[in-house]
Amino acid sequence: MKALFLGNVAADTANGIMDRLPPGLSVEIVADPQLLMRSPETAVDVDILVTNHWSADYPPAPGVKLVQSVATGIELIDLAALPRRVTVCNAFGHETAIAEYILMVMLVWSHRFREIEGDFRARSSWQPSWVQSGAPHGEILGSTVGIVGLGRVGHEVARRAAAFGCRVIAANRGVREPENGVERIFPLNELDQMLPQCDYVVLCTALSPETEGLIDARRLARMKSSAFLVNIARGAVIDEDASYAALRDRTIGGAALDVWWRYPNAAEPERRPSRHPFHELPNVIMTPHCSGWTEGMVARRWAEVAGNINRFSRGEPLQNVVVTT
């Protein structure tokens, strides 16, 4: 049996779990997909493909039976380019890290932390303090948090926000009973009713035809002018042009963006994440798709990937099955 670990994240995973792989498993690590293109024979006898991307341009892998993603989203895996009867599984372990990130940016925003800390560091400014009768900053106690997409991450956000004394509501594609501190769940088609109530709007939904462009100019206009938008889902869930205009013109108060519309490539390793200059807007917190990238997440995800490879080798049921082609 042979496993191919394709891509830089998969290569890191392979090196991290090598001692947990089944005895006798042949392992091929190709960190740069271009190398696979130059050595197509590598893919011919592969049984297990570990990656987060697969394209019709890649050499055929007719023997693949398991595609184990090293990410949660599988939108970069071209399912039509895989052989028939392939099981595709994803990996999680990121829920805690992303939920902590979301609460962190909410607190940073409400407490005006970046502004106050920066001015005090640069100019010894005491203006925000009671010492000079400064205007008090905010807190998240009593605020309303609206979560769009109540999956694994959404539930972890809800539990933490409720523990901070927030009112938590949500919009979700599937109808379910509220739990984990959630007061009410709106159907996704009633999102317009939820948005005006929210001080914080947190996007945790998967990207699909239903959610692409979900937050457009019309929905941004339905939010409070003080609302803070957090996107850890996918960049395409928000309309790029409309979100930049809303933040530039203060249609909404601010945003924390961890996922984007453009990503680096070999030609532009430090590529700007949007065609708009979000980096010039003081009301935007920007991070490079790293909210879930913690040491704990890596350990949990590696364990999930290793576990599924071992289950497959023993003929046991797999975890986190997304689809069978």
mmCIF file with all atom_site columns, all heavy atoms in Angstrom, residues 289-307:
data_model
loop_
_atom_site.group_PDB
_atom_site.id
_atom_site.type_symbol
_atom_site.label_atom_id
_atom_site.label_alt_id
_atom_site.label_comp_id
_atom_site.label_asym_id
_atom_site.label_entity_id
_atom_site.label_seq_id
_atom_site.pdbx_PDB_ins_code
_atom_site.Cartn_x
_atom_site.Cartn_y
_atom_site.Cartn_z
_atom_site.occupancy
_atom_site.B_iso_or_equiv
_atom_site.pdbx_formal_charge
_atom_site.auth_seq_id
_atom_site.auth_comp_id
_atom_site.auth_asym_id
_atom_site.auth_atom_id
_atom_site.pdbx_PDB_model_num
ATOM 1   N N   . HIS A 1 289 ? -4.958  34.185 7.189  1.00 0.00 ? 289 HIS A N   1
ATOM 2   C CA  . HIS A 1 289 ? -5.571  32.855 7.262  1.00 0.00 ? 289 HIS A CA  1
ATOM 3   C C   . HIS A 1 289 ? -4.821  31.972 8.258  1.00 0.00 ? 289 HIS A C   1
ATOM 4   O O   . HIS A 1 289 ? -4.393  30.855 7.931  1.00 0.00 ? 289 HIS A O   1
ATOM 5   C CB  . HIS A 1 289 ? -5.600  32.197 5.883  1.00 0.00 ? 289 HIS A CB  1
ATOM 6   C CG  . HIS A 1 289 ? -6.648  31.121 5.771  1.00 0.00 ? 289 HIS A CG  1
ATOM 7   N ND1 . HIS A 1 289 ? -7.258  30.796 4.588  1.00 0.00 ? 289 HIS A ND1 1
ATOM 8   C CD2 . HIS A 1 289 ? -7.190  30.282 6.684  1.00 0.00 ? 289 HIS A CD2 1
ATOM 9   C CE1 . HIS A 1 289 ? -8.125  29.819 4.773  1.00 0.00 ? 289 HIS A CE1 1
ATOM 10  N NE2 . HIS A 1 289 ? -8.101  29.482 6.050  1.00 0.00 ? 289 HIS A NE2 1
ATOM 11  N N   . CYS A 1 290 ? -4.698  32.470 9.492  1.00 0.00 ? 290 CYS A N   1
ATOM 12  C CA  . CYS A 1 290 ? -3.938  31.733 10.497 1.00 0.00 ? 290 CYS A CA  1
ATOM 13  C C   . CYS A 1 290 ? -4.690  31.602 11.814 1.00 0.00 ? 290 CYS A C   1
ATOM 14  O O   . CYS A 1 290 ? -4.113  31.189 12.815 1.00 0.00 ? 290 CYS A O   1
ATOM 15  C CB  . CYS A 1 290 ? -2.582  32.398 10.744 1.00 0.00 ? 290 CYS A CB  1
ATOM 16  S SG  . CYS A 1 290 ? -2.692  34.075 11.398 1.00 0.00 ? 290 CYS A SG  1
ATOM 17  N N   . SER A 1 291 ? -5.978  31.945 11.829 1.00 0.00 ? 291 SER A N   1
ATOM 18  C CA  . SER A 1 291 ? -6.725  31.915 13.087 1.00 0.00 ? 291 SER A CA  1
ATOM 19  C C   . SER A 1 291 ? -6.727  30.523 13.711 1.00 0.00 ? 291 SER A C   1
ATOM 20  O O   . SER A 1 291 ? -6.722  30.385 14.940 1.00 0.00 ? 291 SER A O   1
ATOM 21  C CB  . SER A 1 291 ? -8.164  32.376 12.863 1.00 0.00 ? 291 SER A CB  1
ATOM 22  O OG  . SER A 1 291 ? -8.847  31.545 11.940 1.00 0.00 ? 291 SER A OG  1
ATOM 23  N N   . GLY A 1 292 ? -6.740  29.488 12.897 1.00 0.00 ? 292 GLY A N   1
ATOM 24  C CA  . GLY A 1 292 ? -6.765  28.133 13.433 1.00 0.00 ? 292 GLY A CA  1
ATOM 25  C C   . GLY A 1 292 ? -5.416  27.468 13.530 1.00 0.00 ? 292 GLY A C   1
ATOM 26  O O   . GLY A 1 292 ? -5.304  26.323 13.978 1.00 0.00 ? 292 GLY A O   1
ATOM 27  N N   . TRP A 1 293 ? -4.360  28.173 13.124 1.00 0.00 ? 293 TRP A N   1
ATOM 28  C CA  . TRP A 1 293 ? -3.042  27.558 12.984 1.00 0.00 ? 293 TRP A CA  1
ATOM 29  C C   . TRP A 1 293 ? -2.272  27.645 14.293 1.00 0.00 ? 293 TRP A C   1
ATOM 30  O O   . TRP A 1 293 ? -1.335  28.421 14.448 1.00 0.00 ? 293 TRP A O   1
ATOM 31  C CB  . TRP A 1 293 ? -2.284  28.208 11.845 1.00 0.00 ? 293 TRP A CB  1
ATOM 32  C CG  . TRP A 1 293 ? -1.084  27.450 11.373 1.00 0.00 ? 293 TRP A CG  1
ATOM 33  C CD1 . TRP A 1 293 ? 0.214   27.850 11.476 1.00 0.00 ? 293 TRP A CD1 1
ATOM 34  C CD2 . TRP A 1 293 ? -1.052  26.173 10.731 1.00 0.00 ? 293 TRP A CD2 1
ATOM 35  N NE1 . TRP A 1 293 ? 1.051   26.908 10.937 1.00 0.00 ? 293 TRP A NE1 1
ATOM 36  C CE2 . TRP A 1 293 ? 0.287   25.853 10.467 1.00 0.00 ? 293 TRP A CE2 1
ATOM 37  C CE3 . TRP A 1 293 ? -2.050  25.266 10.352 1.00 0.00 ? 293 TRP A CE3 1
ATOM 38  C CZ2 . TRP A 1 293 ? 0.667   24.672 9.847  1.00 0.00 ? 293 TRP A CZ2 1
ATOM 39  C CZ3 . TRP A 1 293 ? -1.674  24.085 9.731  1.00 0.00 ? 293 TRP A CZ3 1
ATOM 40  C CH2 . TRP A 1 293 ? -0.325  23.809 9.487  1.00 0.00 ? 293 TRP A CH2 1
ATOM 41  N N   . THR A 1 294 ? -2.662  26.839 15.265 1.00 0.00 ? 294 THR A N   1
ATOM 42  C CA  . THR A 1 294 ? -1.994  26.815 16.560 1.00 0.00 ? 294 THR A CA  1
ATOM 43  C C   . THR A 1 294 ? -1.294  25.474 16.747 1.00 0.00 ? 294 THR A C   1
ATOM 44  O O   . THR A 1 294 ? -1.568  24.498 16.039 1.00 0.00 ? 294 THR A O   1
ATOM 45  C CB  . THR A 1 294 ? -2.996  27.003 17.707 1.00 0.00 ? 294 THR A CB  1
ATOM 46  O OG1 . THR A 1 294 ? -3.906  25.888 17.728 1.00 0.00 ? 294 THR A OG1 1
ATOM 47  C CG2 . THR A 1 294 ? -3.780  28.297 17.554 1.00 0.00 ? 294 THR A CG2 1
ATOM 48  N N   . GLU A 1 295 ? -0.407  25.408 17.725 1.00 0.00 ? 295 GLU A N   1
ATOM 49  C CA  . GLU A 1 295 ? 0.287   24.153 18.001 1.00 0.00 ? 295 GLU A CA  1
ATOM 50  C C   . GLU A 1 295 ? -0.702  23.055 18.366 1.00 0.00 ? 295 GLU A C   1
ATOM 51  O O   . GLU A 1 295 ? -0.564  21.895 17.954 1.00 0.00 ? 295 GLU A O   1
ATOM 52  C CB  . GLU A 1 295 ? 1.306   24.363 19.126 1.00 0.00 ? 295 GLU A CB  1
ATOM 53  C CG  . GLU A 1 295 ? 2.451   25.299 18.750 1.00 0.00 ? 295 GLU A CG  1
ATOM 54  C CD  . GLU A 1 295 ? 3.335   25.630 19.932 1.00 0.00 ? 295 GLU A CD  1
ATOM 55  O OE1 . GLU A 1 295 ? 2.950   25.283 21.073 1.00 0.00 ? 295 GLU A OE1 1
ATOM 56  O OE2 . GLU A 1 295 ? 4.404   26.235 19.721 1.00 0.00 ? 295 GLU A OE2 1
ATOM 57  N N   . GLY A 1 296 ? -1.726  23.430 19.156 1.00 0.00 ? 296 GLY A N   1
ATOM 58  C CA  . GLY A 1 296 ? -2.732  22.449 19.546 1.00 0.00 ? 296 GLY A CA  1
ATOM 59  C C   . GLY A 1 296 ? -3.506  21.924 18.350 1.00 0.00 ? 296 GLY A C   1
ATOM 60  O O   . GLY A 1 296 ? -3.795  20.724 18.259 1.00 0.00 ? 296 GLY A O   1
ATOM 61  N N   . MET A 1 297 ? -3.876  22.838 17.421 1.00 0.00 ? 297 MET A N   1
ATOM 62  C CA  . MET A 1 297 ? -4.613  22.410 16.236 1.00 0.00 ? 297 MET A CA  1
ATOM 63  C C   . MET A 1 297 ? -3.786  21.456 15.396 1.00 0.00 ? 297 MET A C   1
ATOM 64  O O   . MET A 1 297 ? -4.296  20.427 14.916 1.00 0.00 ? 297 MET A O   1
ATOM 65  C CB  . MET A 1 297 ? -5.008  23.621 15.392 1.00 0.00 ? 297 MET A CB  1
ATOM 66  C CG  . MET A 1 297 ? -5.924  23.285 14.206 1.00 0.00 ? 297 MET A CG  1
ATOM 67  S SD  . MET A 1 297 ? -5.093  22.544 12.770 1.00 0.00 ? 297 MET A SD  1
ATOM 68  C CE  . MET A 1 297 ? -4.239  23.981 12.126 1.00 0.00 ? 297 MET A CE  1
ATOM 69  N N   . VAL A 1 298 ? -2.518  21.771 15.194 1.00 0.00 ? 298 VAL A N   1
ATOM 70  C CA  . VAL A 1 298 ? -1.659  20.914 14.384 1.00 0.00 ? 298 VAL A CA  1
ATOM 71  C C   . VAL A 1 298 ? -1.593  19.515 14.991 1.00 0.00 ? 298 VAL A C   1
ATOM 72  O O   . VAL A 1 298 ? -1.725  18.499 14.281 1.00 0.00 ? 298 VAL A O   1
ATOM 73  C CB  . VAL A 1 298 ? -0.251  21.528 14.255 1.00 0.00 ? 298 VAL A CB  1
ATOM 74  C CG1 . VAL A 1 298 ? 0.715   20.528 13.638 1.00 0.00 ? 298 VAL A CG1 1
ATOM 75  C CG2 . VAL A 1 298 ? -0.305  22.802 13.420 1.00 0.00 ? 298 VAL A CG2 1
ATOM 76  N N   . ALA A 1 299 ? -1.438  19.426 16.306 1.00 0.00 ? 299 ALA A N   1
ATOM 77  C CA  . ALA A 1 299 ? -1.365  18.121 16.963 1.00 0.00 ? 299 ALA A CA  1
ATOM 78  C C   . ALA A 1 299 ? -2.667  17.344 16.790 1.00 0.00 ? 299 ALA A C   1
ATOM 79  O O   . ALA A 1 299 ? -2.657  16.139 16.499 1.00 0.00 ? 299 ALA A O   1
ATOM 80  C CB  . ALA A 1 299 ? -1.038  18.300 18.444 1.00 0.00 ? 299 ALA A CB  1
ATOM 81  N N   . ARG A 1 300 ? -3.798  18.025 16.951 1.00 0.00 ? 300 ARG A N   1
ATOM 82  C CA  . ARG A 1 300 ? -5.090  17.345 16.816 1.00 0.00 ? 300 ARG A CA  1
ATOM 83  C C   . ARG A 1 300 ? -5.336  16.892 15.378 1.00 0.00 ? 300 ARG A C   1
ATOM 84  O O   . ARG A 1 300 ? -5.828  15.787 15.133 1.00 0.00 ? 300 ARG A O   1
ATOM 85  C CB  . ARG A 1 300 ? -6.213  18.260 17.289 1.00 0.00 ? 300 ARG A CB  1
ATOM 86  C CG  . ARG A 1 300 ? -6.215  18.520 18.786 1.00 0.00 ? 300 ARG A CG  1
ATOM 87  C CD  . ARG A 1 300 ? -7.427  19.313 19.215 1.00 0.00 ? 300 ARG A CD  1
ATOM 88  N NE  . ARG A 1 300 ? -7.400  20.689 18.764 1.00 0.00 ? 300 ARG A NE  1
ATOM 89  C CZ  . ARG A 1 300 ? -6.863  21.710 19.450 1.00 0.00 ? 300 ARG A CZ  1
ATOM 90  N NH1 . ARG A 1 300 ? -6.263  21.478 20.609 1.00 0.00 ? 300 ARG A NH1 1
ATOM 91  N NH2 . ARG A 1 300 ? -6.902  22.946 18.973 1.00 0.00 ? 300 ARG A NH2 1
ATOM 92  N N   . ARG A 1 301 ? -4.986  17.735 14.428 1.00 0.00 ? 301 ARG A N   1
ATOM 93  C CA  . ARG A 1 301 ? -5.225  17.398 13.027 1.00 0.00 ? 301 ARG A CA  1
ATOM 94  C C   . ARG A 1 301 ? -4.309  16.268 12.562 1.00 0.00 ? 301 ARG A C   1
ATOM 95  O O   . ARG A 1 301 ? -4.733  15.368 11.841 1.00 0.00 ? 301 ARG A O   1
ATOM 96  C CB  . ARG A 1 301 ? -5.056  18.634 12.151 1.00 0.00 ? 301 ARG A CB  1
ATOM 97  C CG  . ARG A 1 301 ? -5.475  18.419 10.713 1.00 0.00 ? 301 ARG A CG  1
ATOM 98  C CD  . ARG A 1 301 ? -5.697  19.729 9.991  1.00 0.00 ? 301 ARG A CD  1
ATOM 99  N NE  . ARG A 1 301 ? -6.913  20.405 10.427 1.00 0.00 ? 301 ARG A NE  1
ATOM 100 C CZ  . ARG A 1 301 ? -7.357  21.544 9.916  1.00 0.00 ? 301 ARG A CZ  1
ATOM 101 N NH1 . ARG A 1 301 ? -6.671  22.152 8.948  1.00 0.00 ? 301 ARG A NH1 1
ATOM 102 N NH2 . ARG A 1 301 ? -8.464  22.103 10.358 1.00 0.00 ? 301 ARG A NH2 1
ATOM 103 N N   . TRP A 1 302 ? -3.055  16.311 12.971 1.00 0.00 ? 302 TRP A N   1
ATOM 104 C CA  . TRP A 1 302 ? -2.145  15.218 12.626 1.00 0.00 ? 302 TRP A CA  1
ATOM 105 C C   . TRP A 1 302 ? -2.682  13.893 13.165 1.00 0.00 ? 302 TRP A C   1
ATOM 106 O O   . TRP A 1 302 ? -2.616  12.860 12.488 1.00 0.00 ? 302 TRP A O   1
ATOM 107 C CB  . TRP A 1 302 ? -0.755  15.481 13.179 1.00 0.00 ? 302 TRP A CB  1
ATOM 108 C CG  . TRP A 1 302 ? 0.032   16.495 12.412 1.00 0.00 ? 302 TRP A CG  1
ATOM 109 C CD1 . TRP A 1 302 ? -0.355  17.152 11.278 1.00 0.00 ? 302 TRP A CD1 1
ATOM 110 C CD2 . TRP A 1 302 ? 1.357   16.962 12.718 1.00 0.00 ? 302 TRP A CD2 1
ATOM 111 N NE1 . TRP A 1 302 ? 0.636   18.016 10.864 1.00 0.00 ? 302 TRP A NE1 1
ATOM 112 C CE2 . TRP A 1 302 ? 1.697   17.916 11.718 1.00 0.00 ? 302 TRP A CE2 1
ATOM 113 C CE3 . TRP A 1 302 ? 2.264   16.679 13.725 1.00 0.00 ? 302 TRP A CE3 1
ATOM 114 C CZ2 . TRP A 1 302 ? 2.924   18.576 11.722 1.00 0.00 ? 302 TRP A CZ2 1
ATOM 115 C CZ3 . TRP A 1 302 ? 3.496   17.330 13.740 1.00 0.00 ? 302 TRP A CZ3 1
ATOM 116 C CH2 . TRP A 1 302 ? 3.820   18.265 12.743 1.00 0.00 ? 302 TRP A CH2 1
ATOM 117 N N   . ALA A 1 303 ? -3.220  13.919 14.383 1.00 0.00 ? 303 ALA A N   1
ATOM 118 C CA  . ALA A 1 303 ? -3.758  12.695 14.974 1.00 0.00 ? 303 ALA A CA  1
ATOM 119 C C   . ALA A 1 303 ? -4.943  12.178 14.166 1.00 0.00 ? 303 ALA A C   1
ATOM 120 O O   . ALA A 1 303 ? -5.093  10.961 13.972 1.00 0.00 ? 303 ALA A O   1
ATOM 121 C CB  . ALA A 1 303 ? -4.171  12.948 16.424 1.00 0.00 ? 303 ALA A CB  1
ATOM 122 N N   . GLU A 1 304 ? -5.786  13.073 13.669 1.00 0.00 ? 304 GLU A N   1
ATOM 123 C CA  . GLU A 1 304 ? -6.936  12.664 12.854 1.00 0.00 ? 304 GLU A CA  1
ATOM 124 C C   . GLU A 1 304 ? -6.479  12.045 11.539 1.00 0.00 ? 304 GLU A C   1
ATOM 125 O O   . GLU A 1 304 ? -7.010  11.012 11.105 1.00 0.00 ? 304 GLU A O   1
ATOM 126 C CB  . GLU A 1 304 ? -7.848  13.855 12.583 1.00 0.00 ? 304 GLU A CB  1
ATOM 127 C CG  . GLU A 1 304 ? -8.627  14.327 13.800 1.00 0.00 ? 304 GLU A CG  1
ATOM 128 C CD  . GLU A 1 304 ? -9.673  15.364 13.444 1.00 0.00 ? 304 GLU A CD  1
ATOM 129 O OE1 . GLU A 1 304 ? -9.797  15.737 12.255 1.00 0.00 ? 304 GLU A OE1 1
ATOM 130 O OE2 . GLU A 1 304 ? -10.396 15.799 14.360 1.00 0.00 ? 304 GLU A OE2 1
ATOM 131 N N   . VAL A 1 305 ? -5.505  12.673 10.882 1.00 0.00 ? 305 VAL A N   1
ATOM 132 C CA  . VAL A 1 305 ? -5.012  12.155 9.607  1.00 0.00 ? 305 VAL A CA  1
ATOM 133 C C   . VAL A 1 305 ? -4.368  10.779 9.806  1.00 0.00 ? 305 VAL A C   1
ATOM 134 O O   . VAL A 1 305 ? -4.655  9.825  9.062  1.00 0.00 ? 305 VAL A O   1
ATOM 135 C CB  . VAL A 1 305 ? -4.020  13.147 8.962  1.00 0.00 ? 305 VAL A CB  1
ATOM 136 C CG1 . VAL A 1 305 ? -3.356  12.523 7.735  1.00 0.00 ? 305 VAL A CG1 1
ATOM 137 C CG2 . VAL A 1 305 ? -4.734  14.442 8.571  1.00 0.00 ? 305 VAL A CG2 1
ATOM 138 N N   . ALA A 1 306 ? -3.504  10.653 10.800 1.00 0.00 ? 306 ALA A N   1
ATOM 139 C CA  . ALA A 1 306 ? -2.847  9.373  11.072 1.00 0.00 ? 306 ALA A CA  1
ATOM 140 C C   . ALA A 1 306 ? -3.877  8.306  11.417 1.00 0.00 ? 306 ALA A C   1
ATOM 141 O O   . ALA A 1 306 ? -3.770  7.149  10.974 1.00 0.00 ? 306 ALA A O   1
ATOM 142 C CB  . ALA A 1 306 ? -1.835  9.531  12.207 1.00 0.00 ? 306 ALA A CB  1
ATOM 143 N N   . GLY A 1 307 ? -4.874  8.685  12.199 1.00 0.00 ? 307 GLY A N   1
ATOM 144 C CA  . GLY A 1 307 ? -5.904  7.732  12.583 1.00 0.00 ? 307 GLY A CA  1
ATOM 145 C C   . GLY A 1 307 ? -6.661  7.192  11.393 1.00 0.00 ? 307 GLY A C   1
ATOM 146 O O   . GLY A 1 307 ? -6.928  5.982  11.305 1.00 0.00 ? 307 GLY A O   1
#
